[in-house]
Amino acid sequence: MHFKEISPAQNAQEVQTRHEGNRQAWNEAAQEYAANNEQRVQDLQAGKSNLHPVERRNLVRLGPFQDWCQRAIHLQCASGYDTLSLLLEGVHEVVGVDISDGHIENARLTSERLAMPATWYRCDVLDTPDELNGTADLVYTGRGAINWLHDLDAWAKVVQRLLKPGGIIHLLEDHPASWLFDQNSATLVASELDYFNHAEANQGWPSSYLGDEGSSLGPSGTPVTEQSTKYERLWTIADVVQALISAGLTIEYLGEHPEPYWDAFPQLRSDQRAKIPMTYSLMARKAT
Ligand SMILES: C[S@@+](CC[C@H](N)C(=O)[O-])C[C@H]1O[C@@H](n2cnc3c(N)ncnc32)[C@H](O)[C@@H]1O
């Protein structure tokens, strides 16, 4: 990964330009995911849910999905494996939203093969269509989602308008403190990022991420200099909590966890890994 520090986006035009850049980059990555479409079909057919243990732990506290979740809207759903896993968990109907044409194509192919009740929208999460307003019992997102967004207040307003009265958002993300350490070291070495103000433009994908998709084609087989530039932002936990509160939601749960959701620090010694929070999760509810 090569990255360049950039200023946080200053206006809506800059936000849109960065999101559009990310669309290109994620279309390249989606080629890798496509190589695993058949595997995903087989896993889903075999009833293998991809929900993370932290997500399941949090969400089952609300009762069996069958009883309270008619519709879940998955923001930044990628190729839809986690979205369709929600159906395996008991959700009745799912909607996936993602900016990448390739990811939405993968998701559509998968749900059609399995005749699963899913609807897909290819759009910027900030442009999620109004026809979905007030229809979600659950807005589900995370695992590498909000770091691609450059206007968190706009995102929180989208979450608020999608939820039914009484509906809930669940989010599981990399803990922002984990950004403060170098991802490629065996010990905890400072990355020297500015925790409070970090945005970056980068090229290349960590092999511990896309390498897992098991294909030599696509971005991990493409020289880094030929890949699209993508744009990320470190959002602190306070940024996220404040954005959701400002949008009118009530925080019901906040947790910090040692469990990662991907191999973010492939070289890090396990005794060192246990010393920092890898992820956090939260749930926030819209008033009835
Ligand atoms: C790491 S993936 C999320 C993975 C997801 N947890 C899953 O189900 O596998 C990030 C996703 O965010 C999407 N994305 C990035 N920026 C977006 C935006 N502005 N609007 C909608 N989707 C976006 C990408 O296309 C990509 O599919």
Side-chain angles (χ1 to χ4, degrees):
M1 290 272 288
H2 304 264
F3 81 84
K4 184 167 122 241
E5 190 94 32
I6 54 174
S7 306
Q10 301 299 314
N11 52 50
Q13 181 56 50
E14 221 171 347
V15 169
Q16 200 192 4
T17 305
R18 289 180 187 185
H19 287 193
E20 202 46 37
N22 288 341
R23 175 184 179 184
Q24 300 297 331
W26 276 102
N27 275 340
E28 291 164 12
Q31 295 169 34
E32 294 272 331
Y33 283 67
N36 270 8
N37 279 349
E38 188 52 39
Q39 186 58 51
R40 266 186 287 277
V41 167
Q42 284 176 25
D43 287 344
L44 286 160
Q45 221 155 21
K48 201 169 141 199
S49 167
N50 201 39
L51 224 63
H52 190 278
V54 168
E55 295 171 327
R56 191 172 295 107
R57 214 159 64 209
N58 291 344
L59 286 164
V60 296
R61 285 200 211 126
L62 307 176
F65 281 105
Q66 291 90 330
D67 295 353
W68 63 272
C69 196
Q70 175 59 34
R71 174 182 279 185
I73 300 183
H74 183 181
L75 299 180
Q76 300 182 244
C77 66
S79 289
Y81 188 14
D82 300 352
T83 327
L84 296 171
S85 294
L86 288 169
L87 293 173
L88 299 181
E89 300 282 339
V91 172
H92 295 277
E93 178 199 338
V94 291
V95 176
V97 176
D98 200 279
I99 203 167
S100 157
D101 313 67
H103 271 308
I104 288 296
E105 180 61 16
N106 290 341
R108 190 165 284 131
L109 283 171
T110 307
S111 63
E112 280 173 9
R113 277 280 303 281
L114 295 164
M116 287 177 116
T119 315
W120 308 104
Y121 290 84
R122 198 232 51 85
C123 61
D124 190 321
V125 72
L126 302 185
D127 300 327
T128 304
D130 283 339
E131 70 205 35
L132 294 173
N133 288 356
T135 67
D137 300 287
L138 169 67
V139 168
Y140 167 88
T141 192
R143 285 157 75 175
I146 60 171
N147 51 305
W148 303 104
L149 304 181
H150 293 268
D151 185 344
L152 206 63
D153 286 327
W155 165 81
K157 285 180 189 148
V158 171
V159 172
Q160 201 276 348
R161 73 173 162 82
L162 295 178
L163 287 170
K164 284 181 186 167
I168 200 159
I169 173 176
H170 186 280
L171 172 136
L172 168 68
E173 280 294 6
D174 282 307
H175 198 294
S178 71
W179 288 54
L180 299 178
F181 300 95
D182 177 37
Q183 292 215 339
N184 295 312
S185 299
T187 55
L188 292 172
V189 173
S191 62
E192 299 188 5
L193 299 187
D194 176 353
Y195 180 77
F196 297 104
N197 233 356
H198 177 73
E200 67 179 59
N202 62 49
Q203 279 182 302
W205 300 88
S207 58
S208 58
Y209 174 56
L210 272 191
D212 289 346
E213 291 295 312
S215 166
S216 59
L217 301 172
S220 60
T222 308
V224 162
T225 48
E226 291 172 22
Q227 292 176 25
S228 293
T229 299
K230 52 198 186 315
Y231 302 89
E232 293 189 65
R233 174 78 194 256
L234 186 167
W235 295 110
T236 69
I237 293 181
D239 289 333
V240 178
V241 165
Q242 284 305 132
L244 291 169
I245 291 173
S246 299
L249 302 181
T250 303
I251 308 294
E252 280 199 356
Y253 171 81
L254 176 61
E256 297 174 289
H257 317 289
E259 297 102 320
Y261 66 87
W262 69 295
D263 194 7
F265 292 87
Q267 326 286 344
L268 189 60
R269 288 191 344 231
S270 53
D271 61 314
Q272 301 256 306
R273 187 183 286 261
K275 290 180 182 166
I276 60 168
M278 287 288 166
T279 50
Y280 72 102
S281 63
L282 68 75
M283 291 193 279
R285 200 179 285 280
K286 182 170 172 171
T288 46

